[in-house]
Amino acid sequence: MNPKLELSQFDYDLPPELIAQSPAAERSGSRLLRLDAQSRLHDLRFTDLPGLLRAGDLLVFNDTRVIKARLRGSKDSGGRVEVLVERITAPTRALAHVRASKSPKAGSALRLEDAFTAQVLGREGELFELEFPERVLDLLERHGSTPLPPYITHAAAQEDDERYQTVYAREPGAVAAPTAGLHFDQPMLDRLAAQGVRRAFVTLHVGAGTFQPVRVQDLSAHVMHSERYVVPAETLELIRATREAGGRIVAVGTTSVRALESAAAQDPHAMGPVEGDTKLFITPGYQYRAIDALITNFHLPQSTLLMLVSALAGMEPIRRAYAHAVAERYRFFSYGDAMFIESPQS
């Protein structure tokens, strides 16, 4: 961590109307801003992505699946309550954020969606441990709603259930989508495979902490949120083979970056799967070990993800890229446009 880094260095002005409230008509219909290895900017379409990749490159996707983690209801005392499941810890147990006028106490009950009752077992920091009467995933699928980010102002609708989910999602557990992957449709995946671009998967279950603001000016004092990740043995082998053949590792989304870099830090020579909880906080000065390029959306001002991309491309190039994106009216955040960032060292 560079002790001189301050939160104010990662701010920028964003007109509210540039925050995308709905996805593009087609998944691959977004714009793509390329920041190349020489820090030059190129205005493209996402359908231009195959021209930026070459045979032998490896795309690494996060295959986490967004669960319908949001529930509303009431406490047994009658007060309204909103529950956001953060992590499922056992078939019928979960850690959750609970919003209420007064925090529920251990032993109390929450009547949710007028359909079932969950018991409050206790607290773990800011989260509440809840016991559900059936499998958590089953109850969420039947009664929960898709947990859209706080900057999207409409309630989750049927379109969001489909579009706030990647086409390759398969491991349920995220409460926020790995949004860079939302741009990929099956024709795009088929086109890339046909030109010799390989793909691999990691799993990182994105938590609500990804939207939590950094509350300290001195970044060395920031405590990063924790997220569960798995990098399979097959992915590690594909990365090794790609490196040996001279190909590039291209992460799809910052969550894939966090998984790959966490695995590299934990065991750079691992042959089997690497998994655990990561609190990796990537800021300028960090030396990337696992990736050569990144496909990502535009990130919130003063966010840890803006710091992560600044560490990859440099602070000044990212400032310039974001100023350009604002001036050219790109769409920002989860349902917005994308960037293709090449490391200056690649």
Side-chain angles (χ1 to χ4, degrees):
M1 171 67 69
N2 183 341
K4 298 180 180 179
L5 289 176
E6 295 188 349
L7 184 61
S8 58
Q9 294 174 272
F10 300 91
D11 203 5
Y12 67 92
D13 292 324
L14 179 66
E17 66 270 18
L18 296 186
I19 300 174
Q21 295 296 317
S22 58
E26 303 292 335
R27 282 185 182 268
S28 59
S30 297
R31 298 167 73 185
L32 180 68
L33 178 60
R34 178 191 181 193
L35 178 59
D36 69 23
Q38 288 75 44
S39 300
R40 297 171 301 203
L41 295 170
H42 311 262
D43 293 304
L44 306 171
R45 306 296 302 181
F46 198 79
T47 48
D48 295 321
L49 178 65
L52 305 180
L53 300 172
R54 48 185 181 258
D57 285 346
L58 179 69
L59 287 173
V60 183
F61 298 89
N62 181 5
D63 66 2
T64 189
R65 186 171 188 84
V66 179
I67 58 177
K68 295 183 177 180
R70 195 179 303 281
L71 298 160
R72 293 175 175 85
S74 60
K75 296 185 291 184
D76 48 14
S77 61
R80 302 301 298 170
V81 66
E82 181 177 302
V83 171
L84 179 64
V85 171
E86 171 79 12
R87 182 181 296 192
I88 297 171
T89 57
T92 61
R93 289 191 179 186
L95 293 172
H97 303 268
V98 177
R99 291 178 57 188
S101 56
K102 289 186 178 180
S103 296
K105 296 181 179 180
S108 63
L110 306 177
R111 183 67 180 171
L112 299 173
E113 300 296 336
D114 202 24
F116 63 92
T117 299
Q119 303 294 323
V120 180
L121 301 180
R123 295 191 67 162
E124 287 191 16
E126 296 182 352
L127 301 174
F128 292 80
E129 185 177 19
L130 304 181
E131 175 77 38
F132 290 75
E134 300 176 35
R135 290 182 74 247
V136 180
L137 280 175
D138 294 342
L139 288 170
L140 292 178
E141 186 59 34
R142 293 203 302 269
H143 304 291
S145 61
T146 298
L148 294 178
Y151 45 75
I152 292 179
T153 57
H154 67 266
Q158 187 172 352
E159 179 192 38
D160 299 298
D161 293 345
E162 177 191 356
R163 294 298 300 275
Y164 194 63
Q165 192 85 267
T166 63
V167 297
Y168 48 80
R170 61 188 179 192
E171 298 291 341
V175 301
T179 55
L182 299 180
H183 302 282
F184 289 84
D185 53 21
Q186 195 58 50
M188 172 66 77
L189 294 172
D190 293 343
R191 183 180 171 190
L192 291 168
Q195 75 176 53
V197 176
R198 295 187 290 182
R199 61 178 178 256
F201 295 92
V202 298
T203 303
L204 185 142
H205 292 316
V206 192
T210 193
F211 302 119
Q212 292 297 312
V214 177
R215 296 187 172 92
V216 293
Q217 188 62 220
D218 177 1
L219 295 185
S220 66
H222 175 64
V223 178
M224 194 69 174
H225 62 281
S226 176
E227 292 171 315
R228 186 74 182 170
Y229 78 96
V230 179
V231 179
E234 180 184 7
T235 295
L236 293 171
E237 179 54 38
L238 281 167
I239 289 171
R240 275 190 289 271
T242 299
R243 288 269 186 241
E244 290 174 2
R248 296 175 299 171
I249 310 302
V250 182
V252 178
T254 57
T255 59
S256 295
V257 172
R258 279 169 53 74
L260 292 172
E261 294 294 327
S262 296
Q266 183 173 326
D267 187 351
H269 306 295
M271 301 296 289
V274 180
E275 59 185 290
D277 291 331
T278 180
K279 289 188 174 182
L280 182 63
F281 183 24
I282 297 177
T283 61
Y286 177 87
Q287 296 298 309
Y288 279 89
R289 307 181 190 188
I291 71 164
D292 303 298
L294 168 64
I295 300 165
T296 186
N297 282 21
F298 293 94
H299 303 293
L300 277 74
Q302 299 190 347
S303 65
T304 61
L305 300 182
L306 185 58
M307 298 166 197
L308 182 152
V309 297
S310 297
L312 181 62
M315 293 174 66
E316 190 281 328
I318 289 294
R319 285 196 201 100
R320 185 162 42 84
Y322 272 59
H324 176 86
V326 169
E328 294 297 320
R329 311 292 289 178
Y330 277 72
R331 286 157 42 92
F332 278 65
F333 307 158
S334 294
Y335 277 153
D337 296 316
M339 288 190 73
F340 183 83
I341 304 174
E342 299 171 74
S343 168
Q345 282 77 46
S346 65

